[in-house]
Amino acid sequence: SPFGQWLDSISDCMTYFVFLIGLTWGLHRHSGGHLILVVGTFAFSSSLLFLGLMLNYLKNHSNSGSLIAFEKDVVNSAVKAERGFFSHFIHYGRFLVKKDAFTFIFMIIALLGYAESIPYLAAFGTTGASVVILILSLNRKPAFNLAGGTHDKS
């Protein structure tokens, strides 16, 4: 149901935010450094922007509340519309922003003893993903119009 899709998407976002906040706070308490709080706040903010853009698209341009619909509507059509490095970057790198992939990667990093690098990776990854979404939006690719206006067919 549409309500179930939205509930699933919102709860997925919340689990990621709780993980990021908990990890950042735990690392701050463990290390005592304030830099981790700054990086964690930046990671949280860029994650909020990234997920907010996706949810905004779903609310305004889709009949679905599922983040999978966002990928089908937006990412797949953007990859088809683009040519060159940018298209390859989106096509092959998009799995990294999926919860299953980054959860596994973060687990391996933590098991190897480098948990303090996770907020930095989260900040870098979600900022990069947000920039890609904004670039595609400003270029008004087919089926990808977060900035408003009409859908171009060019």
Side-chain angles (χ1 to χ4, degrees):
S1 74
F3 176 76
Q5 291 173 343
W6 279 105
L7 183 64
D8 182 57
S9 294
I10 301 287
S11 63
D12 280 350
C13 295
M14 294 305 296
T15 58
Y16 176 69
F17 292 142
V18 168
F19 164 78
L20 196 55
I21 291 167
L23 180 71
T24 301
W25 185 251
L27 289 171
H28 167 68
R29 290 191 50 148
H30 176 72
S31 69
H34 293 289
L35 179 60
I36 196 69
L37 290 177
V38 172
V39 172
T41 301
F42 184 74
F44 179 80
S45 300
S46 60
S47 298
L48 193 61
L49 173 65
F50 177 62
L51 292 168
L53 287 170
M54 291 193 306
L55 294 174
N56 183 54
Y57 174 86
L58 291 174
K59 180 178 179 247
N60 295 320
H61 300 287
S62 176
N63 292 328
S64 176
S66 172
L67 295 177
I68 294 169
F70 177 85
E71 181 178 356
K72 287 180 182 177
D73 290 352
V74 176
V75 179
N76 290 343
S77 65
V79 167
K80 289 177 187 173
E82 279 289 324
R83 297 289 180 249
F85 172 77
F86 199 59
S87 176
H88 283 71
F89 175 75
I90 295 168
H91 180 71
Y92 294 109
R94 65 182 168 185
F95 77 93
L96 292 172
V97 297
K98 293 186 177 185
K99 190 170 89 170
D100 294 340
F102 69 76
T103 301
F104 179 74
I105 293 168
F106 288 172
M107 179 193 71
I108 297 297
I109 291 169
L111 289 173
L112 292 173
Y114 297 105
E116 66 276 355
S117 65
I118 294 173
Y120 295 91
L121 292 171
F124 176 74
T126 54
T127 300
S130 296
V131 167
V132 168
I133 285 178
L134 289 172
I135 288 170
L136 291 172
S137 176
L138 294 174
N139 288 337
R140 296 176 185 224
K141 297 300 175 194
F144 195 104
N145 192 358
L146 298 176
T150 61
H151 293 275
D152 284 342
K153 297 293 181 190
S154 60

